[in-house]
Amino acid sequence: MSNPIPTEPPADTPVTDRAGILLVDDMEENLLALEAVLASLNVPLVRARSGEEAIRALRRERFALVLLDVRMPGMDGFDTAAGIKRLDQAKDVPIIFLTGSDPDSGFTFRGYATGAADFIPKPFDPWVLRAKATVFLELHRKNRQLEALLARDHVQLAEMARRLSAIGSLLGEPGGDDLGTDDGGGGDGGGEADTNTLRGPGELAALRGHVAGLDNILRELRRGRSPQP
């Protein structure tokens, strides 16, 4: 019994999170074949009929994967891959070269040297192509999740710094120099002196609000790092 062809990403993945695949080939029949094989992955499939067109597409939008034919007139696959790697916004996009049935070792070395992540010989096995595309789509999705988590942490840590600064300002208001400098009048204990550094109930409420805010941020940070089921 043959293995089922993968159909990742999950159907409930938001469409806006489904980065596309760029298909680069100068032959219409090859583009049609790629689209037919990859249609079930439910991600945008964008065509490019030349290396120049591929680079323009990568400047416009973000892709999870590039499927790149090696033998194209003018700007071939190697030149196109080198151009892609010079783009700041696309230099990390994985490239799978679509090659002849038996590329020699020099051909393969040149491909990896120009940034290839993998090779698939023509005529390609539909199951292999879909399976490999699925792996790179999932890798891209995980990277986007990590980017979002890091961005969220950056915002929360900045908010923590703001609240800590506000707490420091409240505790450092004029009157704070009286802490621990009782003139021998017996003193009522450190706890009473602490509140005397705050000028009135409004500042005490503000302090409590900042402390509560810090507690909420720490709770969210811990939740974001909890193991996912």
Side-chain angles (χ1 to χ4, degrees):
M1 180 182 297
S2 61
N3 293 326
I5 294 175
T7 56
E8 295 283 350
D12 58 354
T13 302
V15 173
T16 54
D17 292 341
R18 295 175 182 170
I21 300 175
L22 181 60
L23 313 176
V24 189
D25 200 304
D26 62 305
M27 303 292 290
E28 176 69 16
E29 56 269 30
N30 292 339
L31 292 171
L32 288 172
L34 290 170
E35 289 172 338
V37 169
L38 300 173
S40 63
L41 296 182
N42 197 26
V43 297
L45 302 175
V46 178
R47 290 181 170 204
R49 297 290 296 269
S50 67
E52 294 86 353
E53 190 176 339
I55 289 175
R56 287 197 296 270
L58 285 157
R59 286 193 176 117
R60 290 194 306 266
E61 56 188 295
R62 192 169 186 172
F63 291 94
L65 176 64
V66 177
L67 296 178
L68 177 58
D69 184 39
V70 170
R71 300 189 184 280
M72 296 187 295
M75 192 174 185
D76 66 14
F78 298 124
D79 293 334
T80 301
I84 291 171
K85 294 305 176 182
R86 287 194 293 267
L87 296 174
D88 287 341
Q89 67 268 44
K91 62 185 178 181
D92 296 323
V93 178
I95 298 171
I96 295 180
F97 276 123
L98 305 175
T99 71
S101 58
D102 188 23
D104 59 37
S105 58
F107 184 94
T108 303
F109 175 80
R110 187 181 177 193
Y112 285 121
T114 54
D118 203 352
F119 286 83
I120 295 181
K122 296 177 181 179
F124 53 79
D125 183 320
W127 192 93
V128 170
L129 177 60
R130 244 177 289 192
K132 290 188 175 186
T134 293
V135 170
F136 286 108
L137 289 169
E138 180 65 12
L139 178 61
H140 179 83
R141 188 176 69 86
K142 294 294 186 183
N143 285 339
R144 291 295 299 273
Q145 288 177 342
L146 179 59
E147 289 173 5
L149 178 62
L150 292 174
R152 190 202 68 170
D153 284 359
H154 178 77
V155 170
Q156 290 178 323
L157 290 172
E159 175 64 10
M160 286 182 68
R162 186 189 71 79
R163 287 185 179 278
L164 287 170
S165 177
I167 289 171
S169 296
L170 287 169
L171 294 178
E173 291 286 345
D177 291 340
D178 292 338
L179 281 173
T181 58
D182 198 342
D183 290 332
D188 295 322
E192 180 68 19
D194 286 344
T195 60
N196 288 339
T197 65
L198 299 172
R199 296 179 300 184
E203 290 186 353
L204 181 59
L207 176 63
R208 287 171 174 165
H210 286 305
V211 172
L214 287 173
D215 184 60
N216 289 335
I217 293 171
L218 290 171
R219 188 180 301 112
E220 287 298 316
L221 287 170
R222 286 194 296 269
R223 183 182 304 162
R225 285 164 174 74
S226 299
Q228 298 299 313

